[in-house]
Amino acid sequence: MTLRGLPGLILLAAVLLFAVPSVAGFYTDWLWFQELGYQGVFLRTLKAQILVFAGTFTFAFVFLFLNLKVARKALSRPQFVLGTTEDGRPIVVESRMLANLMLPGALIVSLGLAVTASTNWLEWLSALNAAPFGDTDVLFGRDVAFYVFQMPVLDLVRQQALVLTVLALGASAFLYLLSGNVVMEPRYGVAFWPKLNLASTARRHLSLLLAVLLALMAWGTWLELPRTLITGAVTNVVYGASYTDVYARVPFLRVSLVVMSLASLLSCWQAFSPRRWLLPVAIGAYVLVSTAGGVYASIVQRYVVEPNEQTTEQPFILNNIAATRKAYALDRVEERPLSGDAALSADDIIANAGTIENVRLWDHQPLLQTFGQLQEIRSYYDFVNVDNDRYTLDGKYRQVMLSLREMNTESLSTRSWVNERLTYTHGYGLTLGPVNEVTSVGQPVLFVKDLPPKTTVDLRIDEPSIYYGERSSDYVLVKTLSPEFHYPRGEDNVTNTYDGTGGVPVGGLFRRLLFAIRFGATNIVATGQLTGESRIMFYRQIGERVRRIAPFLQYDSDPYAVVADGHLFWIQDAYTTSTNYPYATPFGARGINYLRNSVKIVIDAYHGSTAFYLWEPTDPIALTIDRIFPGMLRPMDEMPESLRSHVRYPEEIFRVQAAAFATFHMTNPQVFYTKEDQWQVPIIDDDGGAAPMQPYYTIMRLPGETGTEFIQMLPFTPRLKDNLAAWMVARSDGEHYGRLFVFQFPKQKVVFGPRQIVARINQDQTISPQITLWNQQGSQVIQGTLLVIPIEESLLYVRPLYLRSSGGRIPELKRVIVAYQDQIVMEETLNQGLVEIFGRSVASALTPDLLQVTEGGVPVETAPPSAEAAVSVSPDLAALAQEANDHFERAAAAQRAGDWALYGEEMKKLGEVLAQMEKIRR
């Protein structure tokens, strides 16, 4: 082999290493989009990328190459000396070499710009298919669609044109400098400002390029005008254009725009005129105007705005409030006052039995750990997450928590290609139980459990196989000659063959070869287990799956499982967002200041079918997407009712809306300016440190409503205060879906807030010593989520306590703390706590707390002790509680003093007293 053939081999190797895998990935993706029925999305995206790439590449290459070609004509000499080396030898550059670099240089630059531009294909399509918002900004009178859709494209075009012009100007100037058409001579008396002599050809060419550059700068100045509405103001009072922006910056920007436009025209004139003072005068005028504008804006801010800020900024505060409320749909929030004076009675508890019976006593993390220990059954199964939902079970509307049992092939004892790709292909079944029931050993009651799934309620599960889920990733092959593992049964395994429609047909040798290249698996070609019916499943992880189809949406981090019509489904929430809504204050990550939950996606866990539903048909961004990809977003009425009844308001958007409403519920500009009524999400001191409360789902009857419903709620406290100010809910059921309510307490009424309740729990003379004792005995007490339960116009607080033994992995629900006004009790069940506070009359109206016991190995449900027993208290109990508190305080004092002998003695006595108290209670 000669060296002459080496470049060809290198090129061939590069093609094999990069082009072939890319082609294989592209073609198999096309097959995948076809399988799902979204080939229109694939083709539309591809067409847009090609058109943007081709247009950018063509324009950039022609512009660069023509400018370089014009400048190249000035290189009349064959060689040029750029200087000398350290030893005095000249540095010589061949004209031919420079000419040979023009074409590849223009190609490389154009290719880079085109590749960058093609990644912004959606911005182009959105600008061309923009749906109007119907709202105009108050300063320039433009529809909001200009800021959201057109302005990003204008910025992109200007930035790329600016890069292209600067490169062309710099390269042309360099060639003219080499050729001697541009000469810099020292100016007499001014050493730092050389005299510039240009030949007529160089002057014309460079002046015209400079005119283009100045025109682009004028364009940038023009874009700065609307940008004042989508950036932060000089102060933190408002977001968007402030008084200084409107009356100082904007006028000077307009003057700058005129000056830069004149400078561009003067540059064109100078190209054909011997006068040299025109352009410097124009540029000097621009610098002068820009400097004067900055100085004037500072003077206005310092001497006009700051002394009278509340008055001068009032119109702009109103703009900020109105836009932010509109951008986050806070203008739809319905506010209702609460008296704050209503006292709860036993009759109120009985009237709200539907709320009480659905209080969530199981937190996600303890329940997930318990599910993992009790129901994973084999090491290769995983419960990834626990989801909140509601079902009508045995005729009763109930809140439940469920988790799907997914396959984790990383935990297989033998991780062979056959096991991971052909045999262990799917998860199986689920675990589902009520949020408020517990067995006698502190474990959750399960309505659906075991393998195959066994149900104790009227919930039909015909197909429990899970091929697509939160964990499912990479690829598997189904409908092969190798039987698939279905689920374990005793010492044996049950197998099956996939009978669904999911996956791409593997086909013949050519397709198998492409899949083998794509996944780097030669076994796909070599195996004899595939047939003409075999299919390959990939993009099985639902987050990856929906992002592959629609990367232009933002996705919620918590997809949730649904059982409907005997099958398992996933529902994934998707958001439309923007960072360019004028006057709207950003909240959350990435500077987003417009947010809608406009799309919901349903993924079949067995077949993999993926359907996008338009959930907010008035959202202009979603309507624009619908224009770009006709037929992709289905009307929400097409979603089956069995699935629609499980749609819930997403936690992420609710959290952002709550954060925004904490400030923007203030619509009075004076109150907004002083922030005197600003709220915040309560901060709770837990074992892991202080953290803001998180929204949570529950079933309850809202004040003024007649029936219970599935809602999400979050309380507010005044900023830097701990008493409760209001609570916010998002409704999820039926025609009320998406309606936001805020129930506000009177400002003059002090209502205990979550942090104050937690502090009182930690100081309670009965509860605190018991928690300390449990922790001292080697167990770990896990304090669950503090739940705020609105009843009529008052509040209950409920907090579950979990106990996990030292070295154990299964948390047990040990106690339930109930707080109402000045009363705090800790009992074994919620109902017993309510009886303790409101009297035994509530016991007969509430569903009994079911405790699971075993008789002869058969689980039997029995009622808890009677209400009379629950409220029967020995006269000595109060005295023992005081004695326990005394021992606890002496132990704490000894601990602070470092007297560990006394500390151990007092803790021992405390344990003895608590044991006596427990005997009396029993």
Side-chain angles (χ1 to χ4, degrees):
M1 180 186 296
T2 63
L3 292 177
R4 184 175 299 173
L6 188 58
L9 290 175
I10 294 175
L11 180 61
L12 178 61
V15 169
L16 292 175
L17 284 175
F18 299 104
V20 173
S22 297
V23 170
F26 176 83
Y27 181 68
T28 51
D29 272 350
W30 161 249
L31 295 176
W32 182 79
F33 273 87
Q34 271 191 317
E35 179 249 330
L36 285 175
Y38 290 105
Q39 59 268 36
V41 176
F42 183 90
L43 292 174
R44 179 73 161 157
T45 302
L46 180 62
K47 180 181 177 181
Q49 289 174 331
I50 292 174
L51 288 175
V52 174
F53 177 90
T56 305
F57 178 83
T58 302
F59 179 82
F61 177 76
V62 170
F63 183 82
L64 267 180
F65 188 73
L66 287 180
N67 277 283
L68 292 175
K69 188 174 182 179
V70 170
R72 163 71 178 83
K73 292 179 181 179
L75 298 176
S76 56
R77 289 178 293 169
Q79 294 179 336
F80 299 92
V81 178
L82 296 181
T84 59
T85 62
E86 292 182 358
D87 55 3
R89 289 182 297 176
I91 301 174
V92 179
V93 177
E94 299 283 342
S95 298
R96 182 178 299 176
M97 182 187 71
L98 292 175
N100 292 337
L101 289 176
M102 286 169 45
L103 179 61
L107 284 172
I108 291 172
V109 171
S110 302
L111 185 64
L113 289 173
V115 169
T116 302
S118 66
T119 61
N120 298 303
W121 59 271
L122 182 64
E123 282 79 359
W124 282 93
L125 289 180
S126 298
L128 295 173
N129 296 275
F133 276 71
D135 298 316
T136 57
D137 73 83
V138 295
L139 188 57
F140 302 110
R142 292 191 179 96
D143 190 275
V144 174
F146 169 80
Y147 298 89
V148 174
F149 300 121
Q150 275 87 32
M151 198 167 171
V153 172
L154 295 176
D155 277 328
L156 289 170
V157 172
R158 177 186 168 273
Q159 289 167 7
Q160 293 210 319
L162 198 62
V163 170
L164 198 60
T165 304
V166 168
L167 289 175
L169 182 62
S172 299
F174 175 71
L175 292 176
Y176 284 126
L177 190 63
L178 283 180
S179 65
N181 284 269
V182 175
V183 178
M184 290 183 291
E185 299 176 351
R187 190 184 296 269
Y188 180 74
V190 189
F192 62 87
W193 189 359
K195 182 179 180 181
L196 194 64
N197 292 319
L198 292 86
S200 59
T201 302
R203 187 184 71 249
R204 283 194 298 271
H205 187 192
L206 295 180
S207 294
L208 290 174
L209 281 176
L210 190 58
V212 175
L213 182 62
L214 292 171
L216 290 172
M217 293 176 65
W219 187 5
T221 303
W222 179 77
L223 288 174
E224 283 301 311
L225 291 170
R227 205 183 311 280
T228 57
L229 272 65
I230 57 175
T231 54
V234 177
T235 65
N236 293 325
V237 177
V238 299
Y239 189 87
S242 64
Y243 182 95
T244 301
D245 291 321
V246 173
Y247 294 105
R249 288 189 63 216
V250 168
F252 271 89
L253 282 173
R254 284 173 171 155
V255 174
S256 298
L257 174 60
V258 173
V259 171
M260 290 303 296
S261 300
L262 289 174
S264 178
L265 294 174
L266 289 174
S267 185
C268 290
W269 187 7
Q270 184 168 284
F272 303 99
S273 171
R275 299 178 182 179
R276 300 184 179 182
W277 57 267
L278 300 173
L279 185 60
V281 167
I283 294 176
Y286 170 73
V287 173
L288 179 62
V289 169
S290 299
T291 304
V295 172
Y296 180 66
S298 299
I299 292 173
V300 169
Q301 180 65 31
R302 177 66 181 85
Y303 296 103
V304 177
V305 176
E306 290 184 6
N308 307 283
E309 191 171 52
Q310 182 172 340
T311 303
T312 55
E313 298 289 14
Q314 180 169 320
F316 310 101
I317 291 174
L318 288 171
N319 294 339
N320 184 203
I321 293 172
T324 303
R325 288 172 66 88
K326 185 83 172 179
Y328 294 101
L330 302 181
D331 55 336
R332 307 176 191 174
V333 174
E334 301 175 49
E335 299 184 54
R336 295 184 180 179
L338 297 174
S339 67
D341 297 321
L344 286 181
S345 64
D347 291 338
D348 294 322
I349 299 298
I350 294 170
N352 289 270
T355 298
I356 299 299
E357 291 168 2
N358 285 283
V359 172
R360 178 170 62 84
L361 299 181
W362 283 104
D363 278 2
H364 290 77
Q365 194 57 39
L367 189 61
L368 184 63
Q369 295 172 359
T370 303
F371 280 177
Q373 293 300 307
L374 300 179
Q375 284 291 307
E376 280 183 359
I377 298 176
R378 293 289 189 273
S379 62
Y380 42 75
Y381 283 130
D382 263 358
F383 290 110
V384 180
N385 199 4
V386 176
D387 297 315
N388 263 291
D389 205 348
R390 68 283 196 198
Y391 290 80
T392 300
L393 302 174
D394 295 335
K396 194 169 186 179
Y397 190 58
R398 306 200 62 170
Q399 184 179 356
V400 301
M401 301 181 80
L402 68 156
S403 185
L404 269 57
R405 189 182 292 106
E406 298 192 50
M407 176 61 66
N408 180 9
T409 55
E410 295 178 1
S411 298
L412 290 172
S413 55
T414 304
R415 295 188 61 188
S416 65
W417 183 83
V418 171
N419 276 347
E420 293 191 42
R421 309 303 176 197
L422 303 181
T423 305
Y424 293 88
T425 57
H426 60 280
Y428 192 79
L430 73 154
T431 297
L432 180 149
V435 297
N436 63 336
E437 293 186 15
V438 60
T439 68
S440 59
V441 292
Q443 295 174 0
V445 172
L446 301 179
F447 290 160
V448 181
K449 59 183 178 180
D450 297 341
L451 293 172
K454 299 174 183 176
T455 66
T456 60
V457 291
D458 59 346
L459 185 64
R460 196 175 90 247
I461 303 174
D462 300 327
E463 182 49 77
S465 301
I466 306 160
Y467 285 85
Y468 302 86
E470 292 184 89
R471 177 172 291 281
S472 305
S473 60
D474 218 333
Y475 71 96
V476 294
L477 293 152
V478 296
K479 294 190 176 182
T480 67
L481 298 177
S482 176
E484 299 176 48
F485 169 79
H486 208 34
Y487 59 88
R489 183 169 58 191
E491 299 297 325
D492 299 323
N493 291 330
V494 176
T495 60
N496 82 324
T497 299
Y498 181 69
D499 192 33
T501 58
V504 177
V506 173
L509 180 61
F510 176 70
R511 280 196 182 184
R512 291 172 66 171
L513 182 60
L514 290 178
F515 284 121
I517 294 171
R518 178 195 176 106
F519 296 111
T522 56
N523 285 332
I524 296 177
V525 176
T527 184
Q529 299 297 316
L530 303 184
T531 69
E533 299 294 321
S534 297
R535 304 174 77 89
I536 184 168
M537 296 178 175
F538 53 103
Y539 295 136
R540 298 191 303 133
Q541 201 271 339
I542 55 178
E544 180 185 25
R545 190 175 188 82
V546 295
R547 284 177 177 85
R548 191 66 184 175
I549 299 172
F552 38 81
L553 295 171
Q554 304 295 321
Y555 293 95
D556 193 271
S557 60
D558 185 25
Y560 52 99
V562 172
V563 182
D565 302 322
H567 287 255
L568 304 181
F569 298 88
W570 297 96
I571 297 181
Q572 170 74 65
D573 284 290
Y575 306 109
T576 52
T577 63
S578 176
T579 59
N580 281 9
Y581 198 95
Y583 270 116
T585 301
F587 284 90
R590 303 185 301 278
I592 290 172
N593 67 351
Y594 176 87
L595 181 64
R596 290 291 187 275
N597 174 218
S598 295
V599 180
K600 293 188 182 291
I601 307 138
V602 176
I603 304 100
D604 191 309
Y606 185 68
H607 298 287
S609 58
T610 306
F612 290 74
Y613 295 94
L614 179 59
W615 213 256
E616 188 157 345
T618 60
D619 173 34
I621 299 180
L623 292 177
T624 299
I625 292 172
D626 194 44
R627 290 181 179 184
I628 296 171
F629 304 106
M632 175 187 171
L633 302 179
R634 306 179 186 183
M636 61 181 176
D637 293 338
E638 292 186 9
M639 181 185 289
E641 179 57 34
S642 58
L643 289 170
R644 288 187 66 182
S645 62
H646 293 283
V647 166
R648 71 186 191 189
Y649 199 78
E651 184 177 321
E652 287 187 11
I653 187 174
F654 183 67
R655 188 184 299 116
V656 173
Q657 288 175 313
F661 196 79
T663 298
F664 286 90
H665 72 278
M666 298 179 288
T667 55
N668 183 300
Q670 287 84 10
V671 176
F672 185 91
Y673 176 80
T674 59
K675 299 293 189 293
E676 64 183 69
D677 192 28
Q678 189 174 18
W679 298 340
Q680 67 181 25
V681 175
I683 304 297
I684 299 296
D685 296 317
D686 280 327
D687 298 332
M693 285 188 70
Q694 298 299 313
Y696 56 88
Y697 294 99
T698 187
I699 289 178
M700 64 170 290
R701 181 169 69 85
L702 294 175
E705 301 295 330
T706 57
T708 57
E709 58 184 294
F710 189 68
I711 59 100
Q712 185 177 188
M713 74 165 296
L714 187 65
F716 292 113
T717 62
R719 188 172 66 93
L720 304 180
K721 300 292 183 181
D722 293 331
N723 58 288
L724 207 64
W727 47 280
M728 186 176 190
V729 300
R731 306 172 76 173
S732 293
D733 285 351
E735 62 182 9
H736 299 302
Y737 175 88
R739 293 181 64 185
L740 302 177
F741 283 80
V742 169
F743 297 89
Q744 187 172 352
F745 292 102
K747 295 179 178 62
Q748 67 273 14
K749 179 71 175 179
V750 176
V751 179
F752 285 130
R755 191 168 193 174
Q756 293 170 322
I757 295 296
V758 170
R760 292 180 57 208
I761 291 173
N762 293 335
Q763 296 167 4
D764 187 84
Q765 296 181 358
T766 301
I767 299 174
S768 182
Q770 181 63 68
I771 292 175
T772 302
L773 180 62
W774 279 327
N775 281 322
Q776 291 291 336
Q777 290 176 342
S779 298
Q780 178 189 5
V781 176
I782 303 171
Q783 300 196 35
T785 300
L786 180 68
L787 303 173
V788 183
I789 311 298
I791 304 289
E792 301 299 339
E793 293 200 3
S794 191
L795 296 173
L796 283 178
Y797 285 94
V798 176
R799 187 171 213 177
L801 292 184
Y802 310 96
L803 196 63
R804 182 164 51 200
S805 62
S806 178
R809 298 180 62 186
I810 303 180
E812 298 176 3
L813 180 57
K814 194 68 175 178
R815 292 289 188 274
V816 179
I817 299 173
V818 183
Y820 170 66
Q821 293 185 349
D822 295 329
Q823 298 173 273
I824 297 179
V825 298
M826 181 174 70
E827 300 293 337
E828 291 187 1
T829 68
L830 173 59
N831 288 3
Q832 291 176 6
L834 294 173
V835 166
E836 187 75 20
I837 294 176
F838 296 102
R840 65 190 67 180
S841 62
V842 303
S844 59
L846 300 177
T847 300
D849 297 304
L850 298 179
L851 304 176
Q852 187 139 326
V853 298
T854 301
E855 294 180 2
V858 180
V860 177
E861 293 179 343
T862 63
S866 66
E868 290 80 358
V871 298
S872 177
V873 179
S874 167
D876 296 331
L877 191 57
L880 288 172
Q882 181 60 47
E883 184 181 350
N885 184 64
D886 293 341
H887 286 304
F888 174 74
E889 290 181 352
R890 286 195 288 268
Q895 184 182 33
R896 290 192 295 269
D899 189 346
W900 299 108
L902 178 59
Y903 173 79
E905 183 181 347
E906 291 296 334
M907 290 304 298
K908 181 179 179 181
K909 293 178 180 177
L910 172 61
E912 293 172 353
V913 174
L914 290 175
Q916 293 180 43
M917 293 173 65
E918 188 68 21
K919 289 179 180 179
I920 294 175
R921 289 176 53 82
R922 291 178 179 176

